[in-house]
Amino acid sequence: METTETATSPPWIDKKLLELWLRAYYGEITVTDVELEPSTLKGDNYLSRINHLVVRTKEGGAHALIVKVCMEEGVAAEIMKDSSIFKKEKAMYNNILPKIHSILQEIMPDGFEPLFPRCFYACRAFLVMENLTAAGFKMADRLVGLDLQPSLLVMRTIARFHAASVILHQRDPDSMRKFLISFFHEPSSEYNFTKFASGMANTLVEELDTWSEEWKKYADVLRRQAPDVIKLVQQTIERRESGFNVLIHGDVWTNNILFTEDRKRTRILDFQLAYLGSPVIDIYYFIVTSATPEVRINHMDRLLQEYHSTLCETLTALGYTQTLMSLEELHKEFDSKSYYGLFTMICPYAVMQCPPDCGFNFDEALDNGKNPGPVMYGDQYKKSVKWLLPFFESKGLFEGK
């Protein structure tokens, strides 16, 4: 039976429930004290509320936890309630991720490094997880992005996650049943996200119209495509059953990645958008949203190479017997999904880069497509656009449009 939040007494501060959840990992404990501190900041654009929790025990332990609570009010909250995202995340933490870890431990029993935080309890309304900041992990600055070495580490991490998901799917085909439809294909989200994406595309057009003549061709194409952004995304990410499919994270960006101080270890968070599809969707999303402009410009091929070599090494070690995707095939797949990269630049990346005080409101953007306009674009975003638009043009995105 799932526990639900009440206005007066949220269950994640109930000492008996915390004892029950933590005992599975720490044995018999008695909780004596619970300290709660909300931590989600304005401008983070979360779809959830994040709380920090410190649980102290009679045995002398102090356990730092994160409680992720689903938003309950607003347009975004209503859309998410009707979607599968919270059910997916519950299934990921309760079922899929422990199996992913078990599969990876088969090939590295002594040197296994977890990919995700430990989850003590997961239901549709909230998650209770270890607070990795207590173990020295922290987020990078979303407005700066990640340089080459941490970007390569992320490529290796998602490659191992993808490889293990392929093996899991082979061993247990039903395990992917809840992840066959992407968030963008769900009727509950399509209507409002079409408004949001159209508004964001038109805002970028408004910005490009103030630039020099060489940018007019991009503005004209984006102006025509603005009403159909989500339809084009749906077409781009449609799963090909004959293709190489993995369990996509769906939201691999700076705020969902934690690093140790030396950036040699990492953990991935937030699995609400998981679905079965092409691996390059995660690669594109990360590169566009989270790599620094310098990494994008000078090391794109290096990132793809790192992903490919780790994917193949992991699959081979796990006994995968089918033909491995070649590096050339990965590049072709990457090029074929370029519109998803363009969409990521127009919508998610623009929101991630906007300053907290620019006036962006996700509920308003979903409800009527309104956003603050070009004022939400900082210098880093504009610099990225000036490189990414010609890059996408080189992939054929603007031909005959």
Side-chain angles (χ1 to χ4, degrees), residues 327-353:
L327 182 58
E328 180 183 3
E329 288 170 333
L330 179 64
H331 275 275
K332 287 181 178 178
E333 181 73 0
F334 189 72
D335 291 351
S336 74
K337 305 297 184 188
S338 292
Y339 188 81
Y340 192 74
L342 178 62
F343 158 76
T344 301
M345 182 198 78
I346 294 170
C347 296
Y349 183 52
V351 174
M352 295 166 185
Q353 282 286 300

PDB file of all heavy atoms in Angstrom, residues 327-353:
ATOM      1  N   LEU A 327      31.074   2.305 -34.996  1.00  0.00           N
ATOM      2  CA  LEU A 327      31.188   3.744 -34.773  1.00  0.00           C
ATOM      3  C   LEU A 327      30.564   4.508 -35.934  1.00  0.00           C
ATOM      4  O   LEU A 327      29.913   5.543 -35.730  1.00  0.00           O
ATOM      5  CB  LEU A 327      32.657   4.128 -34.602  1.00  0.00           C
ATOM      6  CG  LEU A 327      32.937   5.609 -34.300  1.00  0.00           C
ATOM      7  CD1 LEU A 327      32.220   6.064 -33.032  1.00  0.00           C
ATOM      8  CD2 LEU A 327      34.444   5.839 -34.182  1.00  0.00           C
ATOM      9  N   GLU A 328      30.739   4.012 -37.155  1.00  0.00           N
ATOM     10  CA  GLU A 328      30.131   4.661 -38.314  1.00  0.00           C
ATOM     11  C   GLU A 328      28.609   4.644 -38.213  1.00  0.00           C
ATOM     12  O   GLU A 328      27.946   5.646 -38.516  1.00  0.00           O
ATOM     13  CB  GLU A 328      30.569   3.956 -39.599  1.00  0.00           C
ATOM     14  CG  GLU A 328      29.987   4.571 -40.865  1.00  0.00           C
ATOM     15  CD  GLU A 328      30.366   3.809 -42.124  1.00  0.00           C
ATOM     16  OE1 GLU A 328      31.041   2.765 -42.016  1.00  0.00           O
ATOM     17  OE2 GLU A 328      29.991   4.268 -43.221  1.00  0.00           O
ATOM     18  N   GLU A 329      28.052   3.536 -37.760  1.00  0.00           N
ATOM     19  CA  GLU A 329      26.593   3.449 -37.591  1.00  0.00           C
ATOM     20  C   GLU A 329      26.110   4.402 -36.505  1.00  0.00           C
ATOM     21  O   GLU A 329      25.032   4.998 -36.627  1.00  0.00           O
ATOM     22  CB  GLU A 329      26.198   2.010 -37.270  1.00  0.00           C
ATOM     23  CG  GLU A 329      26.321   1.060 -38.443  1.00  0.00           C
ATOM     24  CD  GLU A 329      26.153  -0.392 -38.043  1.00  0.00           C
ATOM     25  OE1 GLU A 329      26.452  -0.738 -36.863  1.00  0.00           O
ATOM     26  OE2 GLU A 329      25.735  -1.189 -38.909  1.00  0.00           O
ATOM     27  N   LEU A 330      26.893   4.550 -35.447  1.00  0.00           N
ATOM     28  CA  LEU A 330      26.527   5.496 -34.391  1.00  0.00           C
ATOM     29  C   LEU A 330      26.500   6.914 -34.940  1.00  0.00           C
ATOM     30  O   LEU A 330      25.579   7.692 -34.646  1.00  0.00           O
ATOM     31  CB  LEU A 330      27.508   5.399 -33.226  1.00  0.00           C
ATOM     32  CG  LEU A 330      27.251   6.358 -32.059  1.00  0.00           C
ATOM     33  CD1 LEU A 330      25.930   6.058 -31.374  1.00  0.00           C
ATOM     34  CD2 LEU A 330      28.400   6.299 -31.042  1.00  0.00           C
ATOM     35  N   HIS A 331      27.496   7.280 -35.756  1.00  0.00           N
ATOM     36  CA  HIS A 331      27.532   8.610 -36.357  1.00  0.00           C
ATOM     37  C   HIS A 331      26.322   8.830 -37.277  1.00  0.00           C
ATOM     38  O   HIS A 331      25.720   9.913 -37.274  1.00  0.00           O
ATOM     39  CB  HIS A 331      28.832   8.811 -37.132  1.00  0.00           C
ATOM     40  CG  HIS A 331      29.979   9.271 -36.285  1.00  0.00           C
ATOM     41  ND1 HIS A 331      30.194  10.596 -35.992  1.00  0.00           N
ATOM     42  CD2 HIS A 331      30.960   8.578 -35.651  1.00  0.00           C
ATOM     43  CE1 HIS A 331      31.267  10.716 -35.223  1.00  0.00           C
ATOM     44  NE2 HIS A 331      31.757   9.501 -35.004  1.00  0.00           N
ATOM     45  N   LYS A 332      25.970   7.823 -38.048  1.00  0.00           N
ATOM     46  CA  LYS A 332      24.806   7.945 -38.938  1.00  0.00           C
ATOM     47  C   LYS A 332      23.526   8.115 -38.128  1.00  0.00           C
ATOM     48  O   LYS A 332      22.658   8.914 -38.490  1.00  0.00           O
ATOM     49  CB  LYS A 332      24.705   6.716 -39.841  1.00  0.00           C
ATOM     50  CG  LYS A 332      25.754   6.657 -40.945  1.00  0.00           C
ATOM     51  CD  LYS A 332      25.571   5.421 -41.822  1.00  0.00           C
ATOM     52  CE  LYS A 332      26.594   5.401 -42.947  1.00  0.00           C
ATOM     53  NZ  LYS A 332      26.456   4.166 -43.789  1.00  0.00           N
ATOM     54  N   GLU A 333      23.419   7.361 -37.047  1.00  0.00           N
ATOM     55  CA  GLU A 333      22.243   7.485 -36.179  1.00  0.00           C
ATOM     56  C   GLU A 333      22.203   8.873 -35.538  1.00  0.00           C
ATOM     57  O   GLU A 333      21.143   9.499 -35.433  1.00  0.00           O
ATOM     58  CB  GLU A 333      22.286   6.398 -35.100  1.00  0.00           C
ATOM     59  CG  GLU A 333      21.115   6.391 -34.139  1.00  0.00           C
ATOM     60  CD  GLU A 333      19.826   5.876 -34.749  1.00  0.00           C
ATOM     61  OE1 GLU A 333      19.822   5.501 -35.946  1.00  0.00           O
ATOM     62  OE2 GLU A 333      18.804   5.862 -34.044  1.00  0.00           O
ATOM     63  N   PHE A 334      23.342   9.358 -35.122  1.00  0.00           N
ATOM     64  CA  PHE A 334      23.456  10.692 -34.529  1.00  0.00           C
ATOM     65  C   PHE A 334      22.986  11.751 -35.530  1.00  0.00           C
ATOM     66  O   PHE A 334      22.184  12.631 -35.193  1.00  0.00           O
ATOM     67  CB  PHE A 334      24.908  10.938 -34.120  1.00  0.00           C
ATOM     68  CG  PHE A 334      25.124  12.181 -33.302  1.00  0.00           C
ATOM     69  CD1 PHE A 334      24.710  12.247 -31.988  1.00  0.00           C
ATOM     70  CD2 PHE A 334      25.780  13.274 -33.845  1.00  0.00           C
ATOM     71  CE1 PHE A 334      24.926  13.397 -31.221  1.00  0.00           C
ATOM     72  CE2 PHE A 334      26.005  14.420 -33.091  1.00  0.00           C
ATOM     73  CZ  PHE A 334      25.576  14.473 -31.780  1.00  0.00           C
ATOM     74  N   ASP A 335      23.452  11.641 -36.761  1.00  0.00           N
ATOM     75  CA  ASP A 335      23.054  12.609 -37.789  1.00  0.00           C
ATOM     76  C   ASP A 335      21.553  12.524 -38.072  1.00  0.00           C
ATOM     77  O   ASP A 335      20.896  13.546 -38.296  1.00  0.00           O
ATOM     78  CB  ASP A 335      23.831  12.363 -39.079  1.00  0.00           C
ATOM     79  CG  ASP A 335      25.313  12.713 -38.948  1.00  0.00           C
ATOM     80  OD1 ASP A 335      25.692  13.296 -37.919  1.00  0.00           O
ATOM     81  OD2 ASP A 335      26.082  12.386 -39.873  1.00  0.00           O
ATOM     82  N   SER A 336      21.003  11.316 -38.052  1.00  0.00           N
ATOM     83  CA  SER A 336      19.585  11.136 -38.382  1.00  0.00           C
ATOM     84  C   SER A 336      18.671  11.712 -37.307  1.00  0.00           C
ATOM     85  O   SER A 336      17.489  11.967 -37.570  1.00  0.00           O
ATOM     86  CB  SER A 336      19.273   9.653 -38.585  1.00  0.00           C
ATOM     87  OG  SER A 336      19.230   8.949 -37.361  1.00  0.00           O
ATOM     88  N   LYS A 337      19.191  11.919 -36.103  1.00  0.00           N
ATOM     89  CA  LYS A 337      18.394  12.454 -34.996  1.00  0.00           C
ATOM     90  C   LYS A 337      18.716  13.925 -34.719  1.00  0.00           C
ATOM     91  O   LYS A 337      18.417  14.442 -33.650  1.00  0.00           O
ATOM     92  CB  LYS A 337      18.643  11.636 -33.721  1.00  0.00           C
ATOM     93  CG  LYS A 337      18.404  10.145 -33.852  1.00  0.00           C
ATOM     94  CD  LYS A 337      16.966   9.815 -34.181  1.00  0.00           C
ATOM     95  CE  LYS A 337      16.755   8.304 -34.199  1.00  0.00           C
ATOM     96  NZ  LYS A 337      15.411   7.943 -34.693  1.00  0.00           N
ATOM     97  N   SER A 338      19.272  14.605 -35.699  1.00  0.00           N
ATOM     98  CA  SER A 338      19.722  15.979 -35.463  1.00  0.00           C
ATOM     99  C   SER A 338      18.588  16.925 -35.086  1.00  0.00           C
ATOM    100  O   SER A 338      18.814  17.906 -34.370  1.00  0.00           O
ATOM    101  CB  SER A 338      20.453  16.519 -36.698  1.00  0.00           C
ATOM    102  OG  SER A 338      21.672  15.845 -36.897  1.00  0.00           O
ATOM    103  N   TYR A 339      17.380  16.643 -35.564  1.00  0.00           N
ATOM    104  CA  TYR A 339      16.286  17.552 -35.186  1.00  0.00           C
ATOM    105  C   TYR A 339      16.075  17.545 -33.680  1.00  0.00           C
ATOM    106  O   TYR A 339      15.707  18.574 -33.097  1.00  0.00           O
ATOM    107  CB  TYR A 339      14.969  17.227 -35.897  1.00  0.00           C
ATOM    108  CG  TYR A 339      13.942  18.306 -35.606  1.00  0.00           C
ATOM    109  CD1 TYR A 339      13.956  19.504 -36.326  1.00  0.00           C
ATOM    110  CD2 TYR A 339      13.041  18.179 -34.559  1.00  0.00           C
ATOM    111  CE1 TYR A 339      13.082  20.542 -36.010  1.00  0.00           C
ATOM    112  CE2 TYR A 339      12.165  19.202 -34.243  1.00  0.00           C
ATOM    113  CZ  TYR A 339      12.190  20.378 -34.973  1.00  0.00           C
ATOM    114  OH  TYR A 339      11.326  21.400 -34.643  1.00  0.00           O
ATOM    115  N   TYR A 340      16.320  16.415 -33.033  1.00  0.00           N
ATOM    116  CA  TYR A 340      16.171  16.388 -31.581  1.00  0.00           C
ATOM    117  C   TYR A 340      17.195  17.312 -30.929  1.00  0.00           C
ATOM    118  O   TYR A 340      16.913  17.943 -29.906  1.00  0.00           O
ATOM    119  CB  TYR A 340      16.315  14.970 -31.031  1.00  0.00           C
ATOM    120  CG  TYR A 340      15.891  14.882 -29.587  1.00  0.00           C
ATOM    121  CD1 TYR A 340      14.547  14.920 -29.245  1.00  0.00           C
ATOM    122  CD2 TYR A 340      16.833  14.799 -28.568  1.00  0.00           C
ATOM    123  CE1 TYR A 340      14.144  14.877 -27.921  1.00  0.00           C
ATOM    124  CE2 TYR A 340      16.443  14.748 -27.239  1.00  0.00           C
ATOM    125  CZ  TYR A 340      15.098  14.780 -26.924  1.00  0.00           C
ATOM    126  OH  TYR A 340      14.702  14.748 -25.609  1.00  0.00           O
ATOM    127  N   GLY A 341      18.382  17.385 -31.507  1.00  0.00           N
ATOM    128  CA  GLY A 341      19.378  18.326 -31.013  1.00  0.00           C
ATOM    129  C   GLY A 341      18.917  19.764 -31.185  1.00  0.00           C
ATOM    130  O   GLY A 341      19.098  20.600 -30.289  1.00  0.00           O
ATOM    131  N   LEU A 342      18.305  20.055 -32.338  1.00  0.00           N
ATOM    132  CA  LEU A 342      17.788  21.404 -32.580  1.00  0.00           C
ATOM    133  C   LEU A 342      16.687  21.745 -31.587  1.00  0.00           C
ATOM    134  O   LEU A 342      16.666  22.845 -31.010  1.00  0.00           O
ATOM    135  CB  LEU A 342      17.272  21.511 -34.014  1.00  0.00           C
ATOM    136  CG  LEU A 342      16.643  22.849 -34.412  1.00  0.00           C
ATOM    137  CD1 LEU A 342      17.650  23.985 -34.319  1.00  0.00           C
ATOM    138  CD2 LEU A 342      16.061  22.760 -35.832  1.00  0.00           C
ATOM    139  N   PHE A 343      15.760  20.820 -31.395  1.00  0.00           N
ATOM    140  CA  PHE A 343      14.694  21.021 -30.407  1.00  0.00           C
ATOM    141  C   PHE A 343      15.278  21.267 -29.017  1.00  0.00           C
ATOM    142  O   PHE A 343      14.823  22.152 -28.280  1.00  0.00           O
ATOM    143  CB  PHE A 343      13.770  19.805 -30.375  1.00  0.00           C
ATOM    144  CG  PHE A 343      13.002  19.667 -29.084  1.00  0.00           C
ATOM    145  CD1 PHE A 343      11.915  20.488 -28.820  1.00  0.00           C
ATOM    146  CD2 PHE A 343      13.385  18.718 -28.127  1.00  0.00           C
ATOM    147  CE1 PHE A 343      11.213  20.367 -27.618  1.00  0.00           C
ATOM    148  CE2 PHE A 343      12.692  18.603 -26.933  1.00  0.00           C
ATOM    149  CZ  PHE A 343      11.601  19.426 -26.679  1.00  0.00           C
ATOM    150  N   THR A 344      16.285  20.477 -28.653  1.00  0.00           N
ATOM    151  CA  THR A 344      16.915  20.622 -27.334  1.00  0.00           C
ATOM    152  C   THR A 344      17.506  22.014 -27.171  1.00  0.00           C
ATOM    153  O   THR A 344      17.413  22.628 -26.099  1.00  0.00           O
ATOM    154  CB  THR A 344      17.993  19.551 -27.139  1.00  0.00           C
ATOM    155  OG1 THR A 344      17.390  18.255 -27.253  1.00  0.00           O
ATOM    156  CG2 THR A 344      18.660  19.675 -25.784  1.00  0.00           C
ATOM    157  N   MET A 345      18.102  22.536 -28.236  1.00  0.00           N
ATOM    158  CA  MET A 345      18.652  23.891 -28.194  1.00  0.00           C
ATOM    159  C   MET A 345      17.539  24.932 -28.044  1.00  0.00           C
ATOM    160  O   MET A 345      17.651  25.874 -27.248  1.00  0.00           O
ATOM    161  CB  MET A 345      19.440  24.171 -29.472  1.00  0.00           C
ATOM    162  CG  MET A 345      20.099  25.543 -29.522  1.00  0.00           C
ATOM    163  SD  MET A 345      20.559  26.023 -31.214  1.00  0.00           S
ATOM    164  CE  MET A 345      18.945  26.523 -31.871  1.00  0.00           C
ATOM    165  N   ILE A 346      16.456  24.771 -28.793  1.00  0.00           N
ATOM    166  CA  ILE A 346      15.368  25.751 -28.811  1.00  0.00           C
ATOM    167  C   ILE A 346      14.618  25.789 -27.485  1.00  0.00           C
ATOM    168  O   ILE A 346      14.279  26.868 -26.987  1.00  0.00           O
ATOM    169  CB  ILE A 346      14.378  25.440 -29.948  1.00  0.00           C
ATOM    170  CG1 ILE A 346      15.042  25.634 -31.305  1.00  0.00           C
ATOM    171  CG2 ILE A 346      13.131  26.333 -29.858  1.00  0.00           C
ATOM    172  CD1 ILE A 346      14.203  25.108 -32.463  1.00  0.00           C
ATOM    173  N   CYS A 347      14.366  24.613 -26.913  1.00  0.00           N
ATOM    174  CA  CYS A 347      13.491  24.549 -25.735  1.00  0.00           C
ATOM    175  C   CYS A 347      14.227  24.236 -24.428  1.00  0.00           C
ATOM    176  O   CYS A 347      14.474  25.158 -23.645  1.00  0.00           O
ATOM    177  CB  CYS A 347      12.361  23.552 -25.993  1.00  0.00           C
ATOM    178  SG  CYS A 347      11.248  24.040 -27.333  1.00  0.00           S
ATOM    179  N   PRO A 348      14.597  22.988 -24.155  1.00  0.00           N
ATOM    180  CA  PRO A 348      15.199  22.719 -22.836  1.00  0.00           C
ATOM    181  C   PRO A 348      16.429  23.552 -22.524  1.00  0.00           C
ATOM    182  O   PRO A 348      16.537  24.125 -21.438  1.00  0.00           O
ATOM    183  CB  PRO A 348      15.546  21.220 -22.916  1.00  0.00           C
ATOM    184  CG  PRO A 348      14.644  20.671 -23.950  1.00  0.00           C
ATOM    185  CD  PRO A 348      14.445  21.763 -24.951  1.00  0.00           C
ATOM    186  N   TYR A 349      17.363  23.646 -23.484  1.00  0.00           N
ATOM    187  CA  TYR A 349      18.603  24.362 -23.214  1.00  0.00           C
ATOM    188  C   TYR A 349      18.349  25.843 -22.940  1.00  0.00           C
ATOM    189  O   TYR A 349      18.972  26.433 -22.049  1.00  0.00           O
ATOM    190  CB  TYR A 349      19.569  24.186 -24.390  1.00  0.00           C
ATOM    191  CG  TYR A 349      20.921  24.833 -24.183  1.00  0.00           C
ATOM    192  CD1 TYR A 349      21.668  24.582 -23.040  1.00  0.00           C
ATOM    193  CD2 TYR A 349      21.464  25.668 -25.154  1.00  0.00           C
ATOM    194  CE1 TYR A 349      22.917  25.166 -22.855  1.00  0.00           C
ATOM    195  CE2 TYR A 349      22.716  26.260 -24.972  1.00  0.00           C
ATOM    196  CZ  TYR A 349      23.434  25.992 -23.825  1.00  0.00           C
ATOM    197  OH  TYR A 349      24.666  26.574 -23.645  1.00  0.00           O
ATOM    198  N   ALA A 350      17.422  26.437 -23.672  1.00  0.00           N
ATOM    199  CA  ALA A 350      17.107  27.850 -23.452  1.00  0.00           C
ATOM    200  C   ALA A 350      16.570  28.077 -22.043  1.00  0.00           C
ATOM    201  O   ALA A 350      16.923  29.057 -21.368  1.00  0.00           O
ATOM    202  CB  ALA A 350      16.110  28.336 -24.489  1.00  0.00           C
ATOM    203  N   VAL A 351      15.713  27.167 -21.571  1.00  0.00           N
ATOM    204  CA  VAL A 351      15.153  27.292 -20.224  1.00  0.00           C
ATOM    205  C   VAL A 351      16.241  27.060 -19.175  1.00  0.00           C
ATOM    206  O   VAL A 351      16.327  27.776 -18.177  1.00  0.00           O
ATOM    207  CB  VAL A 351      13.996  26.294 -20.034  1.00  0.00           C
ATOM    208  CG1 VAL A 351      13.500  26.313 -18.583  1.00  0.00           C
ATOM    209  CG2 VAL A 351      12.840  26.632 -20.978  1.00  0.00           C
ATOM    210  N   MET A 352      17.080  26.065 -19.405  1.00  0.00           N
ATOM    211  CA  MET A 352      18.148  25.758 -18.458  1.00  0.00           C
ATOM    212  C   MET A 352      19.138  26.912 -18.311  1.00  0.00           C
ATOM    213  O   MET A 352      19.712  27.122 -17.247  1.00  0.00           O
ATOM    214  CB  MET A 352      18.913  24.510 -18.912  1.00  0.00           C
ATOM    215  CG  MET A 352      18.089  23.248 -18.912  1.00  0.00           C
ATOM    216  SD  MET A 352      18.947  21.942 -19.836  1.00  0.00           S
ATOM    217  CE  MET A 352      17.718  20.630 -19.801  1.00  0.00           C
ATOM    218  N   GLN A 353      19.349  27.653 -19.388  1.00  0.00           N
ATOM    219  CA  GLN A 353      20.327  28.737 -19.384  1.00  0.00           C
ATOM    220  C   GLN A 353      19.748  30.067 -18.924  1.00  0.00           C
ATOM    221  O   GLN A 353      20.500  30.991 -18.624  1.00  0.00           O
ATOM    222  CB  GLN A 353      20.911  28.903 -20.791  1.00  0.00           C
ATOM    223  CG  GLN A 353      21.953  27.866 -21.161  1.00  0.00           C
ATOM    224  CD  GLN A 353      23.273  28.106 -20.456  1.00  0.00           C
ATOM    225  OE1 GLN A 353      23.895  29.146 -20.604  1.00  0.00           O
ATOM    226  NE2 GLN A 353      23.711  27.130 -19.666  1.00  0.00           N
TER     227      GLN A 353
END
